[in-house]
Amino acid sequence: LISPLTLLPGSRQCFLFFVTKSQNLVMNHIFFVNWYQSGDKGMTKNELILFKKDTDAVGSNRGFIYQYLKTLIQWLTNYKNKIDSVIYCEVEDDIKQLNIKESTVIFTQVKCYSSVFNLDSDEIKKSLYNFFVLFLIYKDYKCEFCFESNTRISGKDSLLQSWVKQQKVLKENEELLEQCVNKTQEILKDVFEKELQSLRGPIIKKIKSREEKLKESTRRDKIQKEIDDLKNELEDLESSGQQMKTQINDRDSIIEFVNRVVWVFDEDEAADSIKALKTEALDLLNEILKGKHSAELFFSRLISEINFKCVEENDEARYLDNALLEKILEETDEEIKLNISSELIAKFESLESKIDQGVDEIKSQLSEFEEKFNQRMDQFSEKLNQHTNNNQPSEKYEVYELPTAEQEKIEEYIQKEDSKYQSNLKMKISKMNNIDSDTKEYLLQNATEYRCRYLLYCQTLRLKNLTIQLEEIKKLESKIKKICTEAVIKFAMKPKSDSASFYFELQEQLLLALKDFKERKKIEIDEDIIYGQMFQMAAECFLRWHKEVN
């Protein structure tokens, strides 16, 4: 399958997106073709195949709200300052700003976390790797690669702290630049080797499987052809991998890349950051509207539009520009209300009602949502602050945090357990409606990771004889099972409902149940634990996000 991805200015370059399919294995490659004029002759070509793993992922409500707000602020800022850039949502990165006239492109990865970051954090390593691939693709553009987060840098990571402080004048500090380049190369090599292995492993496994079948099968010609095709595929993969290694080892290229990376750490708690971003968006709207219309009403409308764009199947349809914003600002109140996603605003507000009232009611609902949402997001930080600042003896809170797990350990766990569990999870996610295939793929990746991390966590608690911790986790699991079972029954009874809405509604129920459990038990439990429990329940059979067809 070949389809155009991007046409660069001056018709000098183009990119083709290849999807090569062999049985159940799907590999994504970006095939780079560089065209140039040579006298009166037409063209010659120079090609480079790169591995690129998309960073699209289905995060928690907090994560996508943070991303939508960041996108909205950039959209409004461009309009206010008459910047003729097109913003793409979930295309090649979280936010992509392309200005064809000026040949500039800015890629932004946004992360809303409660924990600190360092250069060894998986999220930063994956982001740098994805940025580097985009840097190679957009070689002739003035590129900027921005990693934005509400949180702060770990106090133990002096290199990242220095990089952030000196990023505007990094070229002038040769010693620091050298350290940043060395660390970046180390990260790129590490992530690339894992990506290469994730593609290489399944092919090798299929080759071995077919070679075993070849010994007994009567259809030797067909199986031998499959083996030959897989070996050719493996050979192409290794050749492509070698070219990528060459790019990573190119010192000059890495130096240029490092100088184009921009770090933004707001050093805010998640709740404070989201509150500040919403206020910033409303201030921009008030400046643009000049009191003629309700900023709260247009806030709901524009956030909904961003959501609509993010779930478009066609990448080219996921754009936001000044012309679109101008068109929305000219909509009547009735048109605005018709184009507001009641499901999305319900997620924002944690309310069941739909947006079908006038401007005053929307203002009231948004105010109520902000209060409830901030209370939920501030809960953990408030408890810690109370515990630290209160001079009176305070109650000790036990913290239950879901540990991270390397991809190799997750894959090893899946291989050892009953394969039907992972198959159940994959099947149920594949049947979710109103969700595009790319999102399903990355939802499965996240679901697999959360599920296995949770099971490995429980396994560790047993091995260490931490019976009290395990008992509390299992009590929570029982409550989550009850909520999930009842939710599935109610979902089946609703005449009109879709998987995406049900998925987020269930998430809200689980977060509220977690909040209640923590307050009653006086313990602090990482919300990742309930996500792991939810996905394991889907793997065990009774939880699903789709309706069964009778």
Side-chain angles (χ1 to χ4, degrees), residues 522-545:
K522 304 301 180 185
I523 57 179
E524 188 57 52
I525 298 181
D526 187 353
E527 66 182 39
D528 284 359
I529 288 175
I530 62 168
Y531 297 140
Q533 291 174 340
M534 174 181 69
F535 291 125
Q536 175 60 14
M537 287 165 203
E540 287 177 347
C541 260
F542 62 88
L543 172 61
R544 60 179 181 272
W545 303 277

PDB file of all heavy atoms in Angstrom, residues 522-545:
ATOM      1  N   LYS A 522      -7.343   5.085  54.191  1.00  0.00           N
ATOM      2  CA  LYS A 522      -6.211   5.940  54.559  1.00  0.00           C
ATOM      3  C   LYS A 522      -4.899   5.439  53.940  1.00  0.00           C
ATOM      4  O   LYS A 522      -3.851   5.379  54.596  1.00  0.00           O
ATOM      5  CB  LYS A 522      -6.068   6.022  56.088  1.00  0.00           C
ATOM      6  CG  LYS A 522      -7.302   6.501  56.808  1.00  0.00           C
ATOM      7  CD  LYS A 522      -7.708   7.888  56.344  1.00  0.00           C
ATOM      8  CE  LYS A 522      -8.954   8.370  57.089  1.00  0.00           C
ATOM      9  NZ  LYS A 522      -9.452   9.657  56.575  1.00  0.00           N
ATOM     10  N   ILE A 523      -4.981   5.043  52.685  1.00  0.00           N
ATOM     11  CA  ILE A 523      -3.792   4.620  51.955  1.00  0.00           C
ATOM     12  C   ILE A 523      -3.770   5.333  50.609  1.00  0.00           C
ATOM     13  O   ILE A 523      -4.809   5.770  50.116  1.00  0.00           O
ATOM     14  CB  ILE A 523      -3.742   3.087  51.735  1.00  0.00           C
ATOM     15  CG1 ILE A 523      -5.005   2.601  50.998  1.00  0.00           C
ATOM     16  CG2 ILE A 523      -3.572   2.343  53.035  1.00  0.00           C
ATOM     17  CD1 ILE A 523      -5.010   1.116  50.720  1.00  0.00           C
ATOM     18  N   GLU A 524      -2.602   5.449  50.032  1.00  0.00           N
ATOM     19  CA  GLU A 524      -2.449   6.104  48.727  1.00  0.00           C
ATOM     20  C   GLU A 524      -2.161   5.048  47.682  1.00  0.00           C
ATOM     21  O   GLU A 524      -1.158   4.335  47.772  1.00  0.00           O
ATOM     22  CB  GLU A 524      -1.318   7.132  48.782  1.00  0.00           C
ATOM     23  CG  GLU A 524      -1.240   7.989  47.530  1.00  0.00           C
ATOM     24  CD  GLU A 524      -2.538   8.711  47.253  1.00  0.00           C
ATOM     25  OE1 GLU A 524      -3.071   9.379  48.140  1.00  0.00           O
ATOM     26  OE2 GLU A 524      -3.028   8.567  46.122  1.00  0.00           O
ATOM     27  N   ILE A 525      -3.042   4.923  46.687  1.00  0.00           N
ATOM     28  CA  ILE A 525      -2.897   3.904  45.648  1.00  0.00           C
ATOM     29  C   ILE A 525      -2.777   4.581  44.292  1.00  0.00           C
ATOM     30  O   ILE A 525      -3.612   5.408  43.915  1.00  0.00           O
ATOM     31  CB  ILE A 525      -4.095   2.928  45.645  1.00  0.00           C
ATOM     32  CG1 ILE A 525      -4.165   2.196  46.985  1.00  0.00           C
ATOM     33  CG2 ILE A 525      -3.989   1.925  44.505  1.00  0.00           C
ATOM     34  CD1 ILE A 525      -5.298   1.200  47.079  1.00  0.00           C
ATOM     35  N   ASP A 526      -1.753   4.224  43.556  1.00  0.00           N
ATOM     36  CA  ASP A 526      -1.523   4.745  42.206  1.00  0.00           C
ATOM     37  C   ASP A 526      -2.685   4.356  41.302  1.00  0.00           C
ATOM     38  O   ASP A 526      -3.111   3.195  41.287  1.00  0.00           O
ATOM     39  CB  ASP A 526      -0.211   4.143  41.683  1.00  0.00           C
ATOM     40  CG  ASP A 526       0.218   4.750  40.355  1.00  0.00           C
ATOM     41  OD1 ASP A 526      -0.570   5.531  39.782  1.00  0.00           O
ATOM     42  OD2 ASP A 526       1.319   4.427  39.894  1.00  0.00           O
ATOM     43  N   GLU A 527      -3.214   5.333  40.538  1.00  0.00           N
ATOM     44  CA  GLU A 527      -4.349   5.026  39.665  1.00  0.00           C
ATOM     45  C   GLU A 527      -3.985   4.035  38.563  1.00  0.00           C
ATOM     46  O   GLU A 527      -4.857   3.382  37.994  1.00  0.00           O
ATOM     47  CB  GLU A 527      -4.921   6.308  39.053  1.00  0.00           C
ATOM     48  CG  GLU A 527      -4.008   7.026  38.093  1.00  0.00           C
ATOM     49  CD  GLU A 527      -4.629   8.313  37.570  1.00  0.00           C
ATOM     50  OE1 GLU A 527      -5.295   9.031  38.334  1.00  0.00           O
ATOM     51  OE2 GLU A 527      -4.436   8.596  36.373  1.00  0.00           O
ATOM     52  N   ASP A 528      -2.682   3.895  38.260  1.00  0.00           N
ATOM     53  CA  ASP A 528      -2.270   2.897  37.270  1.00  0.00           C
ATOM     54  C   ASP A 528      -2.696   1.485  37.682  1.00  0.00           C
ATOM     55  O   ASP A 528      -2.903   0.611  36.843  1.00  0.00           O
ATOM     56  CB  ASP A 528      -0.754   2.923  37.072  1.00  0.00           C
ATOM     57  CG  ASP A 528      -0.310   4.112  36.240  1.00  0.00           C
ATOM     58  OD1 ASP A 528      -1.189   4.890  35.819  1.00  0.00           O
ATOM     59  OD2 ASP A 528       0.893   4.277  36.029  1.00  0.00           O
ATOM     60  N   ILE A 529      -2.820   1.264  39.005  1.00  0.00           N
ATOM     61  CA  ILE A 529      -3.214  -0.064  39.493  1.00  0.00           C
ATOM     62  C   ILE A 529      -4.608  -0.424  39.028  1.00  0.00           C
ATOM     63  O   ILE A 529      -4.857  -1.558  38.600  1.00  0.00           O
ATOM     64  CB  ILE A 529      -3.096  -0.129  41.038  1.00  0.00           C
ATOM     65  CG1 ILE A 529      -1.613  -0.151  41.442  1.00  0.00           C
ATOM     66  CG2 ILE A 529      -3.821  -1.348  41.604  1.00  0.00           C
ATOM     67  CD1 ILE A 529      -1.367  -0.107  42.928  1.00  0.00           C
ATOM     68  N   ILE A 530      -5.538   0.529  39.076  1.00  0.00           N
ATOM     69  CA  ILE A 530      -6.904   0.178  38.642  1.00  0.00           C
ATOM     70  C   ILE A 530      -6.978  -0.017  37.129  1.00  0.00           C
ATOM     71  O   ILE A 530      -7.800  -0.784  36.642  1.00  0.00           O
ATOM     72  CB  ILE A 530      -7.955   1.220  39.103  1.00  0.00           C
ATOM     73  CG1 ILE A 530      -7.686   2.600  38.507  1.00  0.00           C
ATOM     74  CG2 ILE A 530      -8.072   1.259  40.598  1.00  0.00           C
ATOM     75  CD1 ILE A 530      -8.839   3.558  38.695  1.00  0.00           C
ATOM     76  N   TYR A 531      -6.104   0.681  36.377  1.00  0.00           N
ATOM     77  CA  TYR A 531      -6.079   0.438  34.937  1.00  0.00           C
ATOM     78  C   TYR A 531      -5.586  -0.986  34.659  1.00  0.00           C
ATOM     79  O   TYR A 531      -6.112  -1.689  33.798  1.00  0.00           O
ATOM     80  CB  TYR A 531      -5.182   1.458  34.229  1.00  0.00           C
ATOM     81  CG  TYR A 531      -5.666   2.879  34.350  1.00  0.00           C
ATOM     82  CD1 TYR A 531      -4.785   3.934  34.547  1.00  0.00           C
ATOM     83  CD2 TYR A 531      -7.022   3.176  34.278  1.00  0.00           C
ATOM     84  CE1 TYR A 531      -5.229   5.239  34.675  1.00  0.00           C
ATOM     85  CE2 TYR A 531      -7.476   4.480  34.410  1.00  0.00           C
ATOM     86  CZ  TYR A 531      -6.581   5.504  34.612  1.00  0.00           C
ATOM     87  OH  TYR A 531      -7.035   6.787  34.731  1.00  0.00           O
ATOM     88  N   GLY A 532      -4.558  -1.405  35.401  1.00  0.00           N
ATOM     89  CA  GLY A 532      -4.066  -2.774  35.260  1.00  0.00           C
ATOM     90  C   GLY A 532      -5.134  -3.785  35.616  1.00  0.00           C
ATOM     91  O   GLY A 532      -5.307  -4.802  34.935  1.00  0.00           O
ATOM     92  N   GLN A 533      -5.894  -3.505  36.684  1.00  0.00           N
ATOM     93  CA  GLN A 533      -6.981  -4.403  37.092  1.00  0.00           C
ATOM     94  C   GLN A 533      -8.063  -4.457  36.017  1.00  0.00           C
ATOM     95  O   GLN A 533      -8.583  -5.536  35.684  1.00  0.00           O
ATOM     96  CB  GLN A 533      -7.560  -3.933  38.425  1.00  0.00           C
ATOM     97  CG  GLN A 533      -6.614  -4.123  39.593  1.00  0.00           C
ATOM     98  CD  GLN A 533      -7.146  -3.513  40.880  1.00  0.00           C
ATOM     99  OE1 GLN A 533      -8.021  -2.638  40.861  1.00  0.00           O
ATOM    100  NE2 GLN A 533      -6.617  -3.973  42.011  1.00  0.00           N
ATOM    101  N   MET A 534      -8.418  -3.292  35.472  1.00  0.00           N
ATOM    102  CA  MET A 534      -9.464  -3.245  34.446  1.00  0.00           C
ATOM    103  C   MET A 534      -9.073  -4.062  33.223  1.00  0.00           C
ATOM    104  O   MET A 534      -9.863  -4.869  32.711  1.00  0.00           O
ATOM    105  CB  MET A 534      -9.721  -1.787  34.036  1.00  0.00           C
ATOM    106  CG  MET A 534     -10.695  -1.637  32.868  1.00  0.00           C
ATOM    107  SD  MET A 534     -10.971   0.077  32.352  1.00  0.00           S
ATOM    108  CE  MET A 534      -9.380   0.496  31.652  1.00  0.00           C
ATOM    109  N   PHE A 535      -7.845  -3.887  32.738  1.00  0.00           N
ATOM    110  CA  PHE A 535      -7.426  -4.604  31.533  1.00  0.00           C
ATOM    111  C   PHE A 535      -7.271  -6.108  31.793  1.00  0.00           C
ATOM    112  O   PHE A 535      -7.521  -6.921  30.909  1.00  0.00           O
ATOM    113  CB  PHE A 535      -6.124  -4.011  31.002  1.00  0.00           C
ATOM    114  CG  PHE A 535      -6.286  -2.629  30.428  1.00  0.00           C
ATOM    115  CD1 PHE A 535      -5.508  -1.562  30.881  1.00  0.00           C
ATOM    116  CD2 PHE A 535      -7.224  -2.374  29.434  1.00  0.00           C
ATOM    117  CE1 PHE A 535      -5.664  -0.288  30.354  1.00  0.00           C
ATOM    118  CE2 PHE A 535      -7.385  -1.098  28.902  1.00  0.00           C
ATOM    119  CZ  PHE A 535      -6.613  -0.061  29.365  1.00  0.00           C
ATOM    120  N   GLN A 536      -6.892  -6.471  33.022  1.00  0.00           N
ATOM    121  CA  GLN A 536      -6.821  -7.895  33.342  1.00  0.00           C
ATOM    122  C   GLN A 536      -8.221  -8.509  33.381  1.00  0.00           C
ATOM    123  O   GLN A 536      -8.415  -9.655  32.981  1.00  0.00           O
ATOM    124  CB  GLN A 536      -6.105  -8.106  34.686  1.00  0.00           C
ATOM    125  CG  GLN A 536      -6.076  -9.550  35.172  1.00  0.00           C
ATOM    126  CD  GLN A 536      -5.374 -10.493  34.199  1.00  0.00           C
ATOM    127  OE1 GLN A 536      -4.686 -10.059  33.282  1.00  0.00           O
ATOM    128  NE2 GLN A 536      -5.561 -11.788  34.391  1.00  0.00           N
ATOM    129  N   MET A 537      -9.204  -7.733  33.834  1.00  0.00           N
ATOM    130  CA  MET A 537     -10.582  -8.232  33.853  1.00  0.00           C
ATOM    131  C   MET A 537     -11.101  -8.454  32.433  1.00  0.00           C
ATOM    132  O   MET A 537     -11.872  -9.369  32.174  1.00  0.00           O
ATOM    133  CB  MET A 537     -11.475  -7.255  34.617  1.00  0.00           C
ATOM    134  CG  MET A 537     -11.228  -7.297  36.113  1.00  0.00           C
ATOM    135  SD  MET A 537     -11.944  -5.889  36.979  1.00  0.00           S
ATOM    136  CE  MET A 537     -10.909  -5.875  38.441  1.00  0.00           C
ATOM    137  N   ALA A 538     -10.659  -7.591  31.519  1.00  0.00           N
ATOM    138  CA  ALA A 538     -11.035  -7.809  30.115  1.00  0.00           C
ATOM    139  C   ALA A 538     -10.370  -9.069  29.589  1.00  0.00           C
ATOM    140  O   ALA A 538     -10.972  -9.844  28.845  1.00  0.00           O
ATOM    141  CB  ALA A 538     -10.619  -6.597  29.280  1.00  0.00           C
ATOM    142  N   ALA A 539      -9.124  -9.296  29.983  1.00  0.00           N
ATOM    143  CA  ALA A 539      -8.408 -10.494  29.543  1.00  0.00           C
ATOM    144  C   ALA A 539      -9.036 -11.761  30.106  1.00  0.00           C
ATOM    145  O   ALA A 539      -9.055 -12.814  29.460  1.00  0.00           O
ATOM    146  CB  ALA A 539      -6.933 -10.409  29.970  1.00  0.00           C
ATOM    147  N   GLU A 540      -9.600 -11.658  31.318  1.00  0.00           N
ATOM    148  CA  GLU A 540     -10.213 -12.823  31.948  1.00  0.00           C
ATOM    149  C   GLU A 540     -11.617 -13.115  31.418  1.00  0.00           C
ATOM    150  O   GLU A 540     -12.193 -14.134  31.758  1.00  0.00           O
ATOM    151  CB  GLU A 540     -10.293 -12.598  33.461  1.00  0.00           C
ATOM    152  CG  GLU A 540      -8.941 -12.688  34.156  1.00  0.00           C
ATOM    153  CD  GLU A 540      -9.053 -12.385  35.642  1.00  0.00           C
ATOM    154  OE1 GLU A 540     -10.119 -11.871  36.067  1.00  0.00           O
ATOM    155  OE2 GLU A 540      -8.095 -12.657  36.371  1.00  0.00           O
ATOM    156  N   CYS A 541     -12.181 -12.193  30.644  1.00  0.00           N
ATOM    157  CA  CYS A 541     -13.417 -12.456  29.888  1.00  0.00           C
ATOM    158  C   CYS A 541     -14.607 -11.559  30.160  1.00  0.00           C
ATOM    159  O   CYS A 541     -15.254 -11.131  29.231  1.00  0.00           O
ATOM    160  CB  CYS A 541     -13.890 -13.906  30.001  1.00  0.00           C
ATOM    161  SG  CYS A 541     -13.414 -14.830  28.551  1.00  0.00           S
ATOM    162  N   PHE A 542     -14.938 -11.255  31.415  1.00  0.00           N
ATOM    163  CA  PHE A 542     -16.255 -10.666  31.636  1.00  0.00           C
ATOM    164  C   PHE A 542     -16.353  -9.178  31.304  1.00  0.00           C
ATOM    165  O   PHE A 542     -17.444  -8.659  31.130  1.00  0.00           O
ATOM    166  CB  PHE A 542     -16.727 -10.913  33.073  1.00  0.00           C
ATOM    167  CG  PHE A 542     -15.853 -10.285  34.110  1.00  0.00           C
ATOM    168  CD1 PHE A 542     -16.073  -8.997  34.527  1.00  0.00           C
ATOM    169  CD2 PHE A 542     -14.796 -10.994  34.666  1.00  0.00           C
ATOM    170  CE1 PHE A 542     -15.266  -8.418  35.491  1.00  0.00           C
ATOM    171  CE2 PHE A 542     -13.995 -10.415  35.628  1.00  0.00           C
ATOM    172  CZ  PHE A 542     -14.222  -9.123  36.042  1.00  0.00           C
ATOM    173  N   LEU A 543     -15.242  -8.460  31.225  1.00  0.00           N
ATOM    174  CA  LEU A 543     -15.294  -7.042  30.856  1.00  0.00           C
ATOM    175  C   LEU A 543     -15.036  -6.877  29.356  1.00  0.00           C
ATOM    176  O   LEU A 543     -14.087  -7.437  28.815  1.00  0.00           O
ATOM    177  CB  LEU A 543     -14.258  -6.240  31.643  1.00  0.00           C
ATOM    178  CG  LEU A 543     -14.087  -4.769  31.217  1.00  0.00           C
ATOM    179  CD1 LEU A 543     -15.387  -3.998  31.406  1.00  0.00           C
ATOM    180  CD2 LEU A 543     -12.950  -4.111  31.968  1.00  0.00           C
ATOM    181  N   ARG A 544     -15.883  -6.092  28.713  1.00  0.00           N
ATOM    182  CA  ARG A 544     -15.675  -5.756  27.298  1.00  0.00           C
ATOM    183  C   ARG A 544     -16.205  -4.342  27.068  1.00  0.00           C
ATOM    184  O   ARG A 544     -17.028  -3.850  27.831  1.00  0.00           O
ATOM    185  CB  ARG A 544     -16.394  -6.755  26.384  1.00  0.00           C
ATOM    186  CG  ARG A 544     -17.897  -6.799  26.592  1.00  0.00           C
ATOM    187  CD  ARG A 544     -18.576  -7.785  25.636  1.00  0.00           C
ATOM    188  NE  ARG A 544     -20.018  -7.794  25.827  1.00  0.00           N
ATOM    189  CZ  ARG A 544     -20.660  -8.565  26.686  1.00  0.00           C
ATOM    190  NH1 ARG A 544     -19.990  -9.408  27.446  1.00  0.00           N
ATOM    191  NH2 ARG A 544     -21.972  -8.507  26.815  1.00  0.00           N
ATOM    192  N   TRP A 545     -15.714  -3.709  26.016  1.00  0.00           N
ATOM    193  CA  TRP A 545     -16.138  -2.333  25.701  1.00  0.00           C
ATOM    194  C   TRP A 545     -16.981  -2.296  24.420  1.00  0.00           C
ATOM    195  O   TRP A 545     -17.215  -1.233  23.879  1.00  0.00           O
ATOM    196  CB  TRP A 545     -14.906  -1.439  25.528  1.00  0.00           C
ATOM    197  CG  TRP A 545     -14.011  -1.418  26.724  1.00  0.00           C
ATOM    198  CD1 TRP A 545     -14.165  -0.649  27.837  1.00  0.00           C
ATOM    199  CD2 TRP A 545     -12.832  -2.198  26.930  1.00  0.00           C
ATOM    200  NE1 TRP A 545     -13.161  -0.904  28.717  1.00  0.00           N
ATOM    201  CE2 TRP A 545     -12.315  -1.841  28.204  1.00  0.00           C
ATOM    202  CE3 TRP A 545     -12.157  -3.156  26.182  1.00  0.00           C
ATOM    203  CZ2 TRP A 545     -11.162  -2.418  28.717  1.00  0.00           C
ATOM    204  CZ3 TRP A 545     -11.000  -3.722  26.705  1.00  0.00           C
ATOM    205  CH2 TRP A 545     -10.518  -3.363  27.954  1.00  0.00           C
TER     206      TRP A 545
END
